[in-house]
């Protein structure tokens, strides 16, 4: 098996009350694991096994793209949080957010809005281009800004499996609460 699921840098209950232990158990332990298991099974013994995960995402389609991208997306998602998270980014990322969106509050509003309005399952992304320009975007299902040449630095999963146990149909409440656990040092390191 080429890809192993990275261990979380916090305990399953550490993100409570924003994300419950039960949600992490299912979302990380079953959903993310399944994408990585499927990816391994699909590439085993093929030319895809010699490529990086990013190369697979940029070249594959169908089930291989879906499972490769979902593996990548979930790793970014779960490694964007910390029980000590929250607050606001400072440094270059904080400046870029203020310059482009006017304020951190306005950035959060636009990001939440993109997540809330995405129809069906998918992701809301904050990405940068090679010049450091930031982009908020929506992605349906497994879509990932890597395929458009952008570098994702933060994502909120808006598939129902990410929030239904804790928030039922209240996706907006889930999006608003996630800010309390965002690890801005980690996000800034990707910027
Ligand atoms: Mn998910």
């Amino acid at each position: 098996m080429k890809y192993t699921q990275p261990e979380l840098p916090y305990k399953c209950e550490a993100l409570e009350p924003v994300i419950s232990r039960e949600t992490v158990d299912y979302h990380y332990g079953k959903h993310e694991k399944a994408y990585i298991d499927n990816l391994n099974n699909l590439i085993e013994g093929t030319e895809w096994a010699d490529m990086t995960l990013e190369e697979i995402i940029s070249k594959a389609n169908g089930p291989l793209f879906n499972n490769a991208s979902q593996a990548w997306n979930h790793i970014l998602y779960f490694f964007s949080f910390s029980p000590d998270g929250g607050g606001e980014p400072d440094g270059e990322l904080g400046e870029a957010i203020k310059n482009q969106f006017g304020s951190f509050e306005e950035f959060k509003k636009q990001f939440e809005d993109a997540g809330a309005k995405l129809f069906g399952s998918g992701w809301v992304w904050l990405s940068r281009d090679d010049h450091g320009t930031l982009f908020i975007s929506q992605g349906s299902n497994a879509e990932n800004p890597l395929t458009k040449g952008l570098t994702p630095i933060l994502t909120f999963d808006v598939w129902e499996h990410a929030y239904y146990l804790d928030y039922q149909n209240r996706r907006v409440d889930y999006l608003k609460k996630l800010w309390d656990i965002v690890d801005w040092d980690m996000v800034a390191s990707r910027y």
Side-chain angles (χ1 to χ4, degrees):
M1 291 290 133
K2 179 169 177 185
Y3 294 102
T4 52
Q5 189 174 19
E7 276 192 38
L8 293 178
Y10 43 78
K11 292 205 162 74
C12 287
E13 65 274 22
L15 303 180
E16 292 184 345
V18 178
I19 303 176
S20 68
R21 178 198 182 108
E22 193 181 17
T23 290
V24 175
D25 281 345
Y26 277 96
H27 195 188
Y28 170 82
K30 298 196 187 297
H31 290 273
E32 181 181 318
K33 181 178 186 302
Y35 293 124
I36 293 172
D37 288 347
N38 291 340
L39 169 65
N40 280 320
N41 289 331
L42 286 165
I43 65 172
E44 194 174 350
T46 74
E47 73 269 29
W48 300 100
D50 300 323
M51 296 182 200
T52 65
L53 188 50
E54 288 79 4
E55 282 178 304
I56 296 173
I57 291 167
S58 70
K59 292 174 180 167
N61 48 46
L64 180 54
F65 170 81
N66 288 334
N67 284 284
S69 194
Q70 284 293 80
W72 197 99
N73 298 353
H74 281 91
I75 292 168
L76 187 83
Y77 173 77
F78 280 112
F79 280 79
S80 295
F81 301 128
S82 163
D84 305 317
E88 294 186 26
D90 50 16
E92 284 182 42
L93 177 59
E95 284 301 306
I97 286 174
K98 286 191 184 86
N99 287 339
Q100 274 194 250
F101 300 98
S103 67
F104 183 61
E105 288 306 313
E106 179 59 25
F107 156 72
K108 287 200 294 186
K109 189 163 156 285
Q110 290 185 26
F111 194 88
E112 287 167 14
D113 204 44
K117 287 181 176 162
L118 184 135
F119 185 77
S121 297
W123 303 82
V124 54
W125 298 93
L126 179 66
S127 307
R128 64 163 170 81
D129 68 10
D130 292 342
H131 307 289
T133 305
L134 295 166
F135 298 88
I136 293 172
S137 62
Q138 299 170 321
S140 290
N141 300 314
E143 276 178 22
N144 178 316
L146 283 171
T147 60
K148 300 184 177 76
L150 298 173
T151 301
I153 65 172
L154 175 68
T155 189
F156 288 178
D157 187 340
V158 294
W159 285 58
E160 282 187 347
H161 67 225
Y163 59 88
Y164 214 84
L165 290 174
D166 300 332
Y167 298 87
Q168 292 77 50
N169 61 327
R170 301 187 309 278
R171 185 192 285 187
V172 172
D173 293 349
Y174 156 75
L175 290 168
K176 286 181 184 297
K177 290 298 287 180
L178 282 184
W179 301 117
D180 292 346
I181 53 170
V182 171
D183 182 349
W184 284 110
D185 290 338
M186 180 64 84
V187 177
S189 74
R190 301 169 182 147
Y191 181 70

